[in-house]
Amino acid sequence: MLWFGVGCAFIFAFYNVLSLLLQHIFYVCAARTSKAWRIQSAGQAWSSVTLPPVVNLLRHELSRWKASIGDPSSGQRAGEDSGGGSAKGIEQRQRAHDHDLISTINLCTASVAAGAVFELTARGHSGIVFSLEAAGGFGSAAACTVAAVGWQLVLEYYWHRMMHLPFFYRRFHKMHHRYKSPQPFDDMYIHPLEAIGYYLILYSPAFIFRLHWVGFAVYMSIMGSCGILDHCGIQVEALGLYNTADHDKHHQLFDCNFAFPFVYMDILHGTFAGTFCSRQYSLESLRLRKLKAT
């Protein structure tokens, strides 16, 4: 079970370290210049700068235990302003009361899924291989990596659209849309059953394609990094093909930009609002098309 532990620890550490770095660099060090990097800077309150949800949860449980034994130092709830608050003068936004618990459950689920992929790969039960020869050469390895990204793009898009159907939205996806202007550590606030469904999509290429381990690492790096960046509230653009403002707009406006992490499926289905390759896709025209369709 060595590789299971390695996989769990890697995803757990990657998520928390990258989220903490983004929070510290922007929401702490660059808080006073937020208009230069914050996607929704005007009139948007911030949550308090915080420790990772799992740490807040453990501190809260420790505080409750101390209170149960009469320790006078247990007065403050562990998750409140545990990272020192936000910049002076910035309106505070309250996170959901179960934010730390739900986020921790989902991070643990993602970590266990990664650990399972690592362990199954070590035992030869996945499509991940460790030599270019076994992957069919460099061209085949590169093509399978691109195919894995495309596979995720397609399945995630239709999964996400399904989550916006009234039945699924009310019961599952509405939780994730609590935050209209997300920031670090908000992305894992999602219904645990919905999270499991997405993780099945996320890790499925390891069993569908003949992937070189480097290709799978590239695939997971793209998905993991973009998942965090899409919910950090920070303006990041890469090569005109990726922009964090696209998914941020989905949280803000609800009825556009379902694709992750690239917008091709939105463009194909006419659900994109934003700029792609210097072309502007307006939300007004999108809503007008929907109105005519009804």
Side-chain angles (χ1 to χ4, degrees):
M1 297 294 284
L2 170 64
W3 288 106
F4 176 81
V6 171
C8 288
F10 179 80
I11 293 297
F12 197 88
F14 176 85
Y15 174 79
N16 285 308
V17 169
L18 181 54
S19 297
L20 279 171
L21 280 174
L22 290 171
Q23 180 179 249
H24 181 73
I25 292 170
F26 290 93
Y27 287 85
V28 177
C29 298
R32 296 185 182 277
T33 59
S34 62
K35 289 184 179 180
W37 54 263
R38 180 93 164 121
I39 297 172
Q40 297 184 49
S41 58
Q44 291 294 336
W46 292 5
S47 295
S48 298
V49 174
T50 184
L51 294 170
V54 63
V55 177
N56 288 335
L57 188 65
L58 290 173
R59 293 181 66 189
H60 178 48
E61 292 305 313
L62 178 61
S63 179
R64 289 180 59 187
W65 175 76
K66 287 182 176 180
S68 70
I69 61 173
D71 189 330
S73 67
S74 61
Q76 182 182 5
R77 186 184 182 278
E80 296 177 353
D81 293 329
S82 53
S86 297
K88 183 178 179 181
I90 295 176
E91 181 185 355
Q92 293 293 290
R93 178 195 72 171
Q94 291 297 318
R95 280 191 164 104
H97 69 92
D98 57 352
H99 178 97
D100 293 334
L101 176 61
I102 295 297
S103 298
T104 298
I105 289 172
N106 290 330
L107 178 56
C108 288
T109 301
S111 300
V112 167
V117 172
F118 272 55
E119 186 66 27
L120 289 170
T121 298
R123 298 186 183 194
H125 299 314
S126 78
I128 300 173
V129 296
F130 295 91
S131 70
L132 278 177
E133 182 180 2
F138 178 81
S140 178
C144 284
T145 302
V146 173
V149 173
W151 170 270
Q152 192 280 158
L153 289 178
V154 172
L155 292 186
E156 183 279 335
Y157 180 82
Y158 293 122
W159 172 262
H160 195 175
R161 290 296 301 271
M162 185 181 77
M163 286 294 111
H164 275 259
L165 295 175
F167 177 87
F168 295 102
Y169 185 81
R170 288 195 303 269
R171 290 165 175 79
F172 302 104
H173 198 55
K174 186 177 181 179
M175 174 181 287
H176 187 61
H177 274 272
R178 170 189 172 90
Y179 302 122
K180 307 303 181 187
S181 178
Q183 65 186 63
F185 297 114
D186 286 349
D187 55 322
M188 285 289 180
Y189 189 66
I190 185 171
H191 194 288
L193 292 180
E194 180 185 351
I196 290 172
Y198 174 66
Y199 295 148
L200 290 174
I201 294 172
L202 177 65
Y203 291 106
S204 63
F207 305 95
I208 300 295
F209 301 100
R210 194 75 168 170
L211 285 166
H212 190 270
W213 73 270
V214 173
F216 184 69
V218 169
Y219 164 80
M220 287 302 301
S221 296
I222 292 171
M223 300 306 160
S225 299
C226 289
I228 294 171
L229 289 171
D230 271 359
H231 297 86
C232 69
I234 301 163
Q235 180 67 56
V236 178
E237 187 175 0
L239 304 175
L241 302 177
Y242 171 75
N243 194 329
T244 55
D246 294 333
H247 190 74
D248 198 280
K249 187 175 291 184
H250 173 73
H251 276 263
Q252 183 184 12
L253 302 174
F254 178 81
D255 59 349
C256 62
N257 299 3
F258 300 92
F260 167 80
F262 307 117
V263 300
Y264 307 121
M265 291 297 289
D266 275 315
I267 293 174
L268 178 64
H269 289 277
T271 54
F272 180 61
T275 302
F276 181 75
C277 291
S278 302
R279 179 180 174 183
Q280 182 68 35
Y281 296 79
S282 70
L283 182 64
E284 290 72 19
S285 61
L286 167 60
R287 288 174 172 170
L288 182 60
R289 288 196 302 270
K290 287 184 178 179
L291 185 62
K292 289 181 178 179
T294 57

